[in-house]
Amino acid sequence: MGRDRETLLRKYHQARWDEEIICEMDVPGERGILVPEAEAGIQEAVGDGTSRIPENLRRKQPPALPEINQMRVNRHYMRLSQETLGTDVNIDISQGTCTMKYSPKIQEHVATRNPGMAEIHPLQDESTIQGILHVYYQFEQFLKEISGLDRFSFQPGGGAQGVFTNASMVRAYHASRGDHQRDEVITTMFSHPCDAATGATAGYKVVTLMPDDTGYPHVDAMKAAVSERTAGIFITNPEDTGLYNPQIKEFVDIAHGVGALCSYDQANANGLLGIARAKEAGFDLCHFNVHKTFSMPHACMGPAIGAVGVVDELKRYLPLPRVEFDGERYTLDYRGEPESIGRVRSFLGNAQGVLKAYAWVMQLGADGLREVAECSVLNNNYMLKKLSEVPGVVIQYSEEKRRLEQVRYSWGKLNRDTGVGTDDINRRIADYGIQHYWPSHHPWIVPEPFTLEPCESYSKDDIDEYVAVLRQISKEAYENPELVKSAPHNSAIHKVPAPSIDEPERIAVTWRQYVKKQAAKNSG
Amino acid sequence: MSQRRIVYPYIPNSVPEIKAQMLKEVGARDIMDLYAEIPDELILKRRMDLPEPILDEYSLKRHLEEILDRNRNCDDHLNFLGAGCAQHHVPAVCDEISSRGEFVTAYVGEPYADHGKWQALFEYASLMGELLDMDVLSCPLYDGPSAAATSLRMASRTTGRNEVLVPGSASPDLMAVVRNYLGGIGEPQVSIRTIDFDPGSGLLDLDQLRSAISSNTAAVLIENPGYLGNIETRAEEIGEIARNAGAEFVVYTDPISLGVLAPPVHYGGTFACGDFQPLGMHIQCGGGQGGFIATHDDMRYVAEFKDLMFGITETVKEGEWGFGEVLFDRTSYGSREQGKEYTGTTTGLWAITAGVYLALMGPKGMEEIGRTILQKSQYAARQIGGIPGVRVASETPFFKEFVVNFDGTGKSVGEINAALLDRKIFGGKDISGEFPQLGQSALYCVTERITQDDIHTLVQALGECCS
């Protein structure tokens, strides 16, 4: 046995390379890579190639990209990677609602190194992509069983795009019935922001139900919100508090009672695999974040997949193409039915992610998936108990109730006691080699929030170590608040005094914009 | 417990003793006690019906390889498919960086522990800004079509108008994304009017454009180079028509062309958008797409971006770079339904990789690759056009892709591509369904990877297949 993880505080310091911005690394004349030239025979036949371009459409000045030798480019990005704290290198319980689970290396290696995945073109003849179409079809069968819904599409390139796809299908459903009076969707405050924003993008007014003392809205609030104008409800359950709304079926029934559709945001599904499904709760549509629940890596925010599922009645609205199987051959149906919403993303979506998720389910099977759910919920409740003993931590809402896979905690008491807030602690946590936690989606209903999700990938020891860090920071806050407020100290960089950049003169999202604004500042 | 207990390598607490200890710690007798909040009627009372698992890693690897072996790929075949997903050479350094575990497994961490990620994404925007000669880009979008769709909605907001004009030659798949994204309840939120194009040249009908444009036009969109490969030679004039009517000029472009082709802003584009897959991403069945939008540094535009923007700033230590969120309340993360459209997880790793690509290529690399592609694609078009019965519309300049018409052969593209496949060649995309007015035509894509020998192989095979 190694060190006691309940008291372990690592003597950590992140790589701090003090690396230049790449545009500062320009050495005129250096080359990073040489590119193939057209053969002499080609040059002889067609000339320089550019003379056919009309004068006003030719590039006159080469782009002002930096000139850098290859080793330096590689070193630069290697250094930046060392200044990034991925799940591979830390106990990433921090990013609650994101399900930062282990992405098995075998999946990564096959998906990136096998030319049967990396070098296939989505428009190849169907007969030459039977392998990947098999993977699509099989993974669809898995998700049908996991959710109970009838058809899936893996075209959406992320969770929010998945929810937007569902909002689009809700819109298409009512339109195909000539029902144009429905212009509202309903969500809850602890459902994800995309449940509100994608409905708005699709053209709907958004009604947001607020939680009562239990942490989720009362059924009466739902009854009061629905009407013949309600097109659909978009709801997360368990919500971001980690509390499962036990009246979810009633919410769904109330919505159905006025002719609305019900879309289940299953970004928080990790604790539910094999336990409870969208179907039994009555949902018409759902989506899973394949990069959360099904182990596809998060990749600095994508590529990702929002897998969308629907009941049979809605399958004609799904994006195209759809993968079909006649018992012998897989085909891509590009025609579908006229009610299809068309497309939300090009080609077949992020196919490599479907392969990874397929591999993950194949390695776990039904028992393994259930073990995922059980251990994620067990881990969470274990962590909840441990953290409830840390001074300054408050468990908001229904303290007596069991949570599923995550909890939105509050440093409200600690903040009142010490003046140290969740943002301060969030910077300090990086000093112990732990990724910044996810405070909360906005607005912050829970004061000084932090949201943790110790999914099945983390051992009991990992959880103990994580709690030890928070216990230590709590102690620091009570004894030496300045230490926490001035953090980070062992990170790649020091504290940014004004991290919210809203003033036009401070806005520089590219190097050239920065250089111009500096010049303007210096001259005037 | 007659069944063998499995300890899963990815689930450390599946060790029965640890699980029991933790259950005790939380005061539960049974794991289902923890699910007390879920009503009994919603609990699945049976084991899920899924295939029996392949538990060990080696057997799983074999299983996956056997499945992928059913695919033919563009390394063992000669590939001329593109249509928005082009097989360019991926520099080894791009693969090295895009497979770094730190980047592959990071997510939404703040700019301290994830400083490197923030800097890499800032550099992506900076390098794309140089390529496009524009100052402002956000974090990446899902793909080119989503970038086009958002550009049009941004244009609708900057102008306060709600109709956009698009060319009839635009990619049908791109337009399918745009149509859904601009849709609304009953009426579309932004309506789309299609302007005809000349089937021979691929160029936009400017007379029709002039008569269609109005004080309600939010934007004129062109693709340059177009879906059909051709360069819109009158782009500057189209831009003038758009701007004279008070509309935005949105140009969808191929970033790998911009070492030789003028970036949109040089001929009046107010929005440049497109897909950066060519810049260092493997084709991976369409999984390497990523979208970008660029504009001028004008708050009228900056405030309308929908995705996160990472701004450079300084830390408390003098001379040390740090990063922060720019206008966070713009986004749906900040303001839910009040934000601009919606944002979410898109394509960060691919954006970082595109940055690596541009850093490697530099100005000379981009110019050279553009020239090589022009030369090779022109040569291929000329050679293919020499096959009896095969026609390549050659009066309009093109970049990388071009339309090959087989009407004179009496054969369909489907028949020809099937015959090519027998010769281990993926012929160009069959566009006879998308553009019936072009007859039996295919869209051929020729990148820098294609050699003169490859072109001769194709031409010989096509000669055999067409006769």
Side-chain angles (χ1 to χ4, degrees):
Chain A
M1 294 301 282
R3 298 181 282 184
D4 181 0
R5 302 281 286 272
E6 292 200 42
T7 54
L8 175 60
L9 297 168
R10 290 178 193 274
K11 296 178 189 68
Y12 169 83
H13 199 302
Q14 187 168 28
R16 182 185 289 165
W17 284 111
D18 190 24
E19 190 69 352
E20 299 92 324
I21 303 300
I22 199 146
C23 306
E24 298 178 281
M25 292 163 52
D26 180 40
V27 179
E30 281 191 359
R31 293 295 301 263
I33 193 168
L34 302 180
V35 300
E37 289 183 19
E39 292 85 341
I42 292 181
Q43 300 204 25
E44 218 168 275
V46 301
D48 66 0
T50 48
S51 53
R52 289 196 63 202
I53 311 297
E55 182 67 23
N56 65 342
L57 293 178
R58 280 185 228 163
R59 186 150 200 156
K60 306 292 186 311
Q61 294 286 329
L65 294 165
E67 296 179 284
I68 314 169
N69 72 74
Q70 186 168 113
M71 186 191 203
R72 187 67 185 94
V73 172
N74 189 56
R75 187 194 303 149
H76 174 69
Y77 282 100
M78 282 297 191
R79 287 177 171 181
L80 296 189
S81 75
Q82 290 187 349
E83 293 179 330
T84 302
L85 207 55
T87 300
D88 270 1
V89 280
N90 90 108
I91 301 173
D92 210 341
I93 286 170
S94 288
Q95 301 181 66
T97 84
C98 301
T99 319
M100 303 303 291
K101 66 175 61 182
Y102 176 60
S103 299
K105 293 300 168 191
I106 184 65
Q107 300 165 193
E108 291 303 306
H109 290 190
V110 172
T112 55
R113 297 176 188 177
N114 189 311
M117 181 67 248
E119 303 300 340
I120 57 175
H121 195 284
L123 300 175
Q124 280 175 223
D125 188 83
E126 286 161 358
S127 67
T128 68
I129 48 171
Q130 288 292 300
I132 193 68
L133 295 182
H134 170 81
V135 169
Y136 268 73
Y137 185 81
Q138 285 300 319
F139 189 56
E140 179 175 12
Q141 307 315 306
F142 300 168
L143 289 193
K144 283 162 64 175
E145 175 64 2
I146 290 165
S147 67
L149 300 194
D150 300 316
R151 284 305 299 254
F152 272 81
S153 168
F154 310 131
Q155 194 179 87
Q161 195 171 50
V163 181
F164 176 72
T165 304
N166 283 351
S168 301
M169 287 194 279
V170 166
R171 190 175 68 188
Y173 165 82
H174 293 301
S176 73
R177 297 155 57 91
D179 189 349
H180 300 306
Q181 63 173 356
R182 296 178 186 273
D183 61 353
E184 285 180 359
V185 293
I186 297 173
T187 185
T188 70
M189 186 43 94
F190 285 129
S191 292
H192 297 131
C194 65
D195 290 307
T198 59
T201 305
Y204 289 109
K205 296 186 188 76
V206 179
V207 178
T208 302
L209 305 180
M210 296 302 285
D212 64 17
D213 293 343
T214 59
Y216 32 79
H218 196 276
V219 164
D220 289 344
M222 178 67 186
K223 282 182 187 151
V226 295
S227 71
E228 69 287 346
R229 291 177 60 187
T230 310
I233 67 170
F234 291 78
I235 196 162
T236 310
N237 195 31
E239 298 193 332
D240 270 355
T241 51
L243 286 162
Y244 187 94
N245 179 350
Q247 290 158 322
I248 190 66
K249 184 79 168 55
E250 285 176 71
F251 277 58
V252 167
D253 290 344
I254 291 164
H256 282 162
V258 297
L261 294 176
C262 299
S263 180
Y264 193 175
D265 175 336
Q266 295 220 261
N268 295 351
N270 207 49
L272 296 175
L273 301 172
I275 305 282
R277 312 192 303 172
K279 179 192 174 81
E280 283 72 23
F283 282 95
D284 309 293
L285 311 93
C286 78
H287 99 278
F288 291 102
N289 283 5
V290 174
H291 49 293
K292 295 180 177 175
T293 312
F294 293 96
S295 88
M296 183 185 181
H298 292 68
C300 292
M301 294 196 75
I305 300 173
V308 294
V310 296
V311 294
D312 256 332
E313 195 190 347
L314 299 178
K315 78 173 184 195
R316 61 184 183 277
Y317 304 103
L318 280 166
L320 297 173
R322 294 204 315 239
V323 178
E324 303 288 353
F325 182 53
D326 67 5
E328 277 181 24
R329 288 174 47 79
Y330 298 97
T331 51
L332 283 166
D333 177 6
Y334 279 93
R335 286 175 193 277
E337 288 160 79
E339 294 93 342
S340 164
I341 63 165
R343 275 190 172 277
V344 293
R345 189 194 177 281
S346 36
F347 305 112
L348 309 178
N350 288 313
Q352 75 281 19
V354 181
L355 176 70
K356 293 173 192 180
Y358 166 84
W360 190 75
V361 174
M362 280 307 293
Q363 208 170 354
L364 289 165
D367 296 336
L369 289 186
R370 188 166 169 129
E371 192 74 17
V372 165
E374 291 182 2
C375 284
S376 74
V377 173
L378 178 59
N379 283 0
N380 187 45
N381 282 279
Y382 175 80
M383 187 165 198
L384 173 70
K385 171 142 190 303
K386 293 275 174 180
L387 272 179
S388 65
E389 294 156 7
V390 170
V393 172
V394 177
I395 316 297
Q396 197 90 4
Y397 304 114
S398 302
E399 207 180 335
E400 74 292 352
K401 284 184 181 160
R402 297 289 190 185
R403 312 273 166 144
L404 292 189
E405 87 300 351
Q406 67 181 54
V407 177
R408 180 152 296 158
Y409 298 92
S410 169
W411 288 115
K413 176 171 174 359
L414 182 124
N415 184 235
R416 287 191 301 278
D417 292 347
T418 68
V420 171
T422 194
D423 283 341
D424 300 319
I425 295 169
N426 205 15
R427 289 193 312 280
R428 179 63 176 155
I429 199 171
D431 287 338
Y432 292 98
I434 287 182
Q435 179 58 267
H436 306 286
Y437 55 63
W438 180 247
S440 165
H441 287 295
H442 289 258
W444 288 6
I445 306 292
V446 172
E448 303 300 325
F450 63 113
T451 310
L452 306 180
E453 183 180 4
C455 72
E456 81 283 358
S457 301
Y458 300 98
S459 69
K460 176 176 168 298
D461 280 352
D462 292 339
I463 300 169
D464 288 343
E465 181 176 338
Y466 194 104
V467 172
V469 169
L470 288 185
R471 193 184 299 119
Q472 171 68 14
I473 299 175
S474 162
K475 187 162 172 271
E476 291 169 355
Y478 281 99
E479 291 174 0
N480 184 5
E482 260 324 293
L483 176 69
V484 183
K485 286 183 176 177
S486 57
H489 306 288
N490 305 334
S491 197
I493 56 164
H494 297 81
K495 183 176 176 176
V496 174
S500 299
I501 302 172
D502 295 324
E503 310 83 347
E505 66 276 12
R506 279 187 71 213
I507 293 175
V509 296
T510 58
W511 180 251
R512 54 194 272 138
Q513 194 185 20
Y514 173 80
V515 169
K516 284 179 191 172
K517 289 200 173 164
Q518 284 304 108
K521 197 165 129 190
N522 294 337
S523 69
Chain B
M1 296 287 284
S2 59
Q3 272 184 313
R4 181 168 65 108
R5 286 296 308 188
I6 296 162
V7 174
Y8 297 91
Y10 313 147
I11 316 177
N13 296 336
S14 60
V15 175
E17 295 74 23
I18 297 177
K19 206 173 178 184
Q21 187 191 341
M22 291 175 75
L23 269 175
K24 194 173 160 200
E25 190 88 37
V26 302
R29 268 180 309 186
D30 183 90
I31 195 80
M32 288 312 289
D33 291 353
L34 302 179
Y35 287 105
E37 291 305 303
I38 305 182
D40 188 58
E41 66 271 22
L42 299 188
I43 296 279
L44 189 67
K45 302 286 189 336
R46 61 174 176 82
R47 184 172 180 252
M48 285 191 293
D49 181 16
L50 292 171
E52 285 309 307
I54 301 170
L55 292 166
D56 75 275
E57 179 169 309
Y58 176 70
S59 301
L60 179 78
K61 179 169 182 277
R62 284 288 295 266
H63 172 75
L64 297 175
E65 284 167 354
E66 279 162 22
I67 293 173
L68 295 181
D69 275 352
R70 295 178 217 164
N71 296 332
R72 305 278 71 83
N73 67 66
C74 297
D75 281 354
D76 61 26
H77 283 52
L78 190 52
N79 173 43
F80 294 95
L81 289 164
C85 176
Q87 194 183 20
H88 294 280
H89 172 64
V90 175
V93 175
C94 287
D95 280 340
E96 186 70 26
I97 301 305
S98 68
S99 58
R100 286 290 291 188
E102 298 92 330
F103 284 143
V104 169
T105 63
Y107 200 28
V108 292
E110 303 213 3
Y112 304 103
D114 273 2
H115 174 69
K117 175 194 78 184
W118 285 65
Q119 181 165 339
L121 285 166
F122 174 80
E123 291 179 349
Y124 147 80
S126 297
L127 296 168
M128 287 294 287
E130 297 301 344
L131 186 67
L132 296 158
D133 209 4
M134 285 184 125
D135 290 340
V136 176
L137 288 98
S138 67
C139 282
L141 293 95
Y142 297 100
D143 59 1
S146 71
T150 283
S151 296
L152 295 173
R153 284 187 72 150
M154 287 173 73
S156 173
R157 294 196 293 272
T158 59
T159 59
R161 303 173 177 184
N162 59 9
E163 183 178 78
V164 294
L165 306 181
V166 304
S169 59
S171 156
D173 282 354
L174 179 142
M175 286 311 302
V177 171
V178 168
R179 206 168 293 113
N180 181 59
Y181 201 73
L182 271 48
I185 304 153
E187 295 290 308
Q189 297 177 75
V190 180
S191 60
I192 300 167
R193 192 155 164 191
T194 303
I195 307 298
D196 287 343
F197 70 105
D198 172 49
S201 65
L203 299 176
L204 197 65
D205 181 338
L206 295 203
D207 291 337
Q208 200 186 48
L209 174 67
R210 284 195 191 88
S211 65
I213 203 160
S214 73
S215 59
N216 194 30
T217 306
V220 176
L221 169 83
I222 65 163
E223 297 174 319
N224 202 23
Y227 171 68
L228 300 175
N230 65 285
I231 291 166
E232 179 48 81
T233 53
R234 294 177 299 184
E236 197 162 10
E237 204 177 337
I238 296 168
E240 275 168 28
I241 295 168
R243 277 174 291 113
N244 287 342
E248 303 286 0
F249 183 31
V250 178
V251 181
Y252 187 90
T253 189
D254 180 348
I256 209 164
S257 71
L258 298 180
V260 288
L261 298 191
V265 66
H266 290 185
Y267 48 88
T270 55
F271 284 80
C273 60
D275 198 307
F276 56 74
Q277 177 273 331
L279 308 181
M281 265 51 73
H282 292 270
I283 49 178
Q284 53 198 301
C285 203
Q289 311 303 125
F292 67 86
I293 299 173
T295 70
H296 288 297
D297 181 10
D298 179 336
M299 286 304 285
R300 211 162 62 83
Y301 296 115
V302 180
E304 296 304 332
F305 278 82
K306 75 180 185 69
D307 293 297
L308 295 177
M309 295 171 120
F310 294 169
I312 193 166
T313 182
E314 282 167 19
T315 72
V316 292
K317 192 171 157 63
E318 203 184 327
E320 187 178 72
W321 297 124
F323 297 93
E325 295 272 12
V326 171
L327 302 173
F328 182 70
D329 290 342
R330 265 179 315 113
T331 70
S332 59
Y333 287 147
S335 303
R336 295 176 71 90
E337 72 273 17
Q338 303 300 323
K340 309 293 178 185
E341 306 164 41
Y342 72 90
T343 189
T345 297
T346 54
T347 52
L349 185 64
W350 296 157
I352 290 171
T353 308
V356 176
Y357 185 88
L358 291 173
L360 286 169
M361 294 292 275
K364 294 197 181 69
M366 291 309 291
E367 186 181 352
E368 288 167 5
I369 201 167
R371 189 167 57 230
T372 297
I373 292 169
L374 279 171
Q375 290 170 321
K376 289 186 170 181
S377 54
Q378 285 170 16
Y379 182 77
R382 189 183 290 187
Q383 296 291 312
I384 293 168
I387 300 167
V390 179
R391 199 163 44 82
V392 177
S394 56
E395 72 269 26
T396 314
F398 55 84
F399 182 83
K400 192 162 94 180
E401 308 209 36
F402 51 91
V403 174
V404 179
N405 179 276
F406 295 100
D407 285 348
T409 68
K411 294 197 170 162
S412 70
V413 175
E415 288 165 341
I416 290 163
N417 279 353
L420 287 175
L421 187 55
D422 290 339
R423 292 163 174 80
K424 299 190 79 170
I425 296 171
F426 297 139
K429 181 186 181 185
D430 185 349
I431 55 169
S432 58
E434 292 179 339
F435 293 97
Q437 66 271 49
L438 299 180
Q440 284 299 316
S441 290
L443 186 61
Y444 272 73
C445 177
V446 175
T447 73
E448 79 286 1
R449 292 176 87 257
I450 300 294
T451 66
Q452 189 176 17
D453 283 349
D454 292 338
I455 294 168
H456 292 164
T457 302
L458 169 70
V459 169
Q460 192 185 340
L462 271 176
E464 292 164 13
C465 300
C466 293
S467 59

